[in-house]
Amino acid sequence: GARDGNDFLVNLIDSPGHVDFSSEVTAALRITDGALVVVDSVEGVCVQTETVLRQALGERIRPVLTVNKLDRCFLELMLDGEEAYQGFERIIENANVIMSTYADEKLGDVQVYPEKGTVSFSAGLHGWAFTLRSFAQLYAKKMGADPEKMMQKLWGANFFDPATRKWTKKDTNSGTCKRGFVQFCFEPIKNVIDTAMKDDKEKLFQMLEKLNVLGKLSGEDKELSGKPLMKRIMQKWLPAHEALLDMIIHQLPSPRAAQKYRVENLYEGP
């Protein structure tokens, strides 16, 4: 429905993902209006992901997706930006195939798209997450662009060449031309994480100054080093609660809106 004010009450019900607990998932789905589906960025869409999505859509619950454990892409697998992007895109496509298979016409299109704000990327263990909106708002100010248009540029076949300052629909192979997501989302995170892990504080604090994050760190935070420092910086720069709350508020229905199409599934009485 239409937005009314800036106060929101969100009840989060955390149901286990393991196959042994599918009855708990069923019970939780009865009383929810939207689902935040968590998929491992390394393992991808599993059998249990399909089971949970099938159950949710059967209950007419609108899903949003978060691609989790991003810290492993940076710290363990050392993926480059394009490799990571291809992996994320494959995960989202696989989830969308399942969603379109079990979709209910009363729900309409339930597929998820990063450029529409229905997919976030997170590192739950480290407490940070982002949606494309997080970065679109940052760059829209710098480039004097519209945040909604910038969001579209940060996913799919959109490439930017800083040398020519032009966007193209395919890679020009100029050496400086990179996919929007890689150049504006993945690489800035990678640079901050790598520099923090190397304990190069002089360079790191210069980067954080540009990102307007340095002022958010306390004196104690700045004394940290290595992994604890990296985790604290990422939590201050891209706090998980902001990205996930933004996605839940903007993309999932209120109880009043959801009951219009859910009630016939829940109640068969007079």
Side-chain angles (χ1 to χ4, degrees), residues 70 121-123 126-131 134-135 138 185 188-189 211 213 216 231-244:
L70 243 64
F121 302 87
S122 58
H126 291 182
W128 59 268
F130 68 93
T131 61
S134 320
F135 281 98
L138 177 72
C185 304
I189 294 173
L211 293 166
V213 178
K216 297 176 185 176
K231 284 167 75 170
R232 184 58 48 85
I233 287 167
M234 293 305 295
Q235 287 165 7
K236 296 289 185 186
W237 178 26
L238 301 169
H241 65 273
E242 281 185 15
L244 297 176

Side-chain angles (χ1 to χ4, degrees), residues 51 54 69 75 87 90 127 181 183 187 193 199 232 241 243:
T51 306
R54 189 182 72 236
K69 298 191 184 176
L75 299 174
R90 193 163 51 248
F181 175 82
Q183 188 155 191
E187 288 190 347
I193 287 177
D199 260 344
R232 184 58 48 85
H241 65 273

Side-chain angles (χ1 to χ4, degrees), residues 217-263:
L217 296 176
S218 68
E220 285 179 10
D221 293 340
K222 291 174 186 173
E223 294 299 315
L224 297 170
S225 62
K227 204 169 188 179
L229 175 65
M230 180 273 290
K231 284 167 75 170
R232 184 58 48 85
I233 287 167
M234 293 305 295
Q235 287 165 7
K236 296 289 185 186
W237 178 26
L238 301 169
H241 65 273
E242 281 185 15
L244 297 176
L245 189 64
D246 177 76
M247 188 165 68
I248 289 166
I249 289 168
H250 286 101
Q251 308 299 340
L252 296 180
S254 68
R256 183 181 290 175
Q259 297 334 299
K260 288 175 184 168
Y261 52 79
R262 288 199 69 217
V263 71

Side-chain angles (χ1 to χ4, degrees), residues 174-222:
S174 67
T176 50
C177 183
K178 287 180 186 171
R179 193 183 294 276
F181 175 82
V182 174
Q183 188 155 191
F184 294 111
C185 304
F186 191 86
E187 288 190 347
I189 294 173
K190 187 175 179 8
N191 291 340
V192 167
I193 287 177
D194 289 350
T195 312
M197 293 300 283
K198 286 174 190 163
D199 260 344
D200 184 350
K201 289 192 179 178
E202 188 181 340
K203 184 181 173 188
L204 178 66
F205 291 163
Q206 284 174 356
M207 291 161 82
L208 297 180
E209 187 74 61
K210 288 179 187 171
L211 293 166
N212 296 326
V213 178
L214 194 58
K216 297 176 185 176
L217 296 176
S218 68
E220 285 179 10
D221 293 340
K222 291 174 186 173

